[in-house]
């Protein structure tokens, strides 16, 4: 399952907020997850992709995490915090061929 989340980094871990549902259910059973972030830079015609694989866990030490700059996009309290501790981090940089039209990204 692939689900969009907003996130922040806490040390070497990825942290996101959620409400009860599939993301929280996966976290509470210690699921192995993959978290991917992609970026594109139109100016230099490059892209980057980073994948973090690790265990997801519902976070109990919320006092410090509530001070992180992590704000939900969708309206809801998003009171549960999930942390992904990386077992592996991989990434790549992609340069677009010069002959692709400059509107290729959309």
């Amino acid at each position: 399952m692939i689900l969009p989340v907003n996130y922040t980094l806490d040390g070497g871990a990825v942290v996101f907020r959620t409400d009860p549902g599939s993301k929280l259910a996966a976290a509470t059973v210690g699921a192995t997850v993959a978290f991917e972030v992609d970026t594109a830079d139109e100016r230099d015609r490059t892209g980057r992709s980073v994948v973090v694989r690790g265990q997801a866990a519902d976070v109990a030490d919320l006092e410090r995490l509530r001070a992180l700059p992590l704000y939900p996009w969708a309206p809801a309290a998003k009171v549960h915090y999930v942390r992904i501790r990386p077992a592996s981090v991989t990434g790549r940089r992609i340069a677009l061929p010069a002959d692709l039209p400059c509107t290729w990204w959309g």
Side-chain angles (χ1 to χ4, degrees):
M1 180 184 304
I2 299 170
L3 300 166
V5 297
N6 57 328
Y7 70 96
T8 192
L9 298 177
D10 179 35
V14 174
V15 177
F16 64 90
R17 292 170 59 175
T18 190
D19 282 325
S22 56
K23 289 176 273 193
L24 184 60
T28 57
V29 297
T32 298
V33 298
F35 176 85
E36 182 173 351
V37 176
D38 300 315
T39 64
D41 186 327
E42 291 184 57
R43 189 181 66 244
D44 68 8
R45 299 176 59 89
T46 60
R48 289 164 190 82
S49 180
V50 175
V51 177
V52 174
R53 291 177 182 84
Q55 293 286 312
D58 194 11
V59 179
D61 59 334
L62 297 179
E63 187 175 324
R64 190 177 53 75
L65 291 181
R66 287 185 177 137
L68 295 175
L70 181 57
Y71 310 103
W73 291 348
K78 310 281 187 200
V79 296
H80 295 277
Y81 286 68
V82 175
R83 177 182 289 129
I84 303 169
R85 294 201 185 275
S88 71
V89 178
T90 58
R92 65 184 182 149
R93 182 174 181 265
I94 305 156
L96 293 177
D99 60 347
L100 278 180
C102 65
T103 59
W104 179 78
W105 330 81

